[in-house]
Amino acid sequence: EGPESFPPLRNEAAVHVLQGRMKGIQGHCNSCYMDAALFSLFSCTSVLDSMLFMPFPLCDRNVQGILRDEIVNPLRRTGFVRASSVMHLREQLTDKGQCSSFTNAEKDPEEFLNLIMQQILGIEPLLKLQSGGQKEQECYCYQIFMDKQEDLVVPNVQQLVERSFLSSDLKLVEIPSCFIIQMPRFGKEYKMFSKIIPSLELDITDLLLDSPRECCLCGDVATLECS
């Protein structure tokens, strides 16, 4: 008999299971970067469920089991994950990684994702990016970098991704199977945006390399792109 699996929460079920007090992933000892990442990746989507079940070539079955049985399944089943379960995962990451501070320090979510996806589970990179005609780069997630934008007070994710790609002269080489996006970094002192509206769908037409698009003047297939 294989490992137990619970489907991601959708629609009314998501509201019913995840809303209210003592819901979500319990924080402890600077775990917010990991709690937020795990909740985003697994609570309401199955796109990365291969991380929980696939026997990848480099896969550490112990870490995979903790992720599936102690974090994702309880989150989907009851809407709540104890801090001790996340600490169990953090201890394993500290053992497996090059870094000794996964159990107590605040990290960048990208550092956590790279460690668990690349070094512990051995998943192929999810994104292929190209900047200004240079050699393509592979990565697991994309962090939005941008200067302060006076005209954006309460932006949505679509606007932030488009402007970030434009300012870095980036294109997606291919349509990604999963597009993990990290919002602009917030520190304790400075917040670039007080709120960001989630875009429930993301249009990546203009972000794709060599994607045929129509001319905004005549409607034929465009041959030039004006940034």
Side-chain angles (χ1 to χ4, degrees), residues 16 25 33 91 123 133 174 181 191 215 226:
H16 175 70
I25 301 177
Y33 72 96
E91 287 163 356
I123 299 173
E174 59 189 28
I181 304 166
K191 289 184 169 42
C215 170
C226 170

Side-chain angles (χ1 to χ4, degrees), residues 66-86:
I66 293 168
L67 185 62
R68 180 186 63 237
D69 302 330
E70 297 186 32
I71 295 173
V72 177
N73 282 347
L75 181 63
R76 291 175 176 178
R77 190 175 66 240
T78 68
F80 179 70
V81 179
R82 297 174 179 277
S84 57
S85 298
V86 178

Side-chain angles (χ1 to χ4, degrees), residues 7 13-14 19 37 55 73 81 92 106 141 150 163 165 172 214 216:
Q19 187 172 286
N73 282 347
V81 179
Q92 292 298 309
E106 187 173 345
C141 65
E150 297 301 334
R163 293 198 185 199
F165 264 64
L172 288 165
E214 69 174 47
C216 61

Side-chain angles (χ1 to χ4, degrees), residues 91-100 102 115 119-120:
E91 287 163 356
Q92 292 298 309
L93 296 183
T94 298
D95 290 346
K96 304 291 185 303
Q98 318 302 316
C99 184
S100 61
F102 266 100
L115 175 62
Q119 294 177 259
I120 293 179

Side-chain angles (χ1 to χ4, degrees), residues 13 51 198 217:
M51 282 176 65
L217 296 177

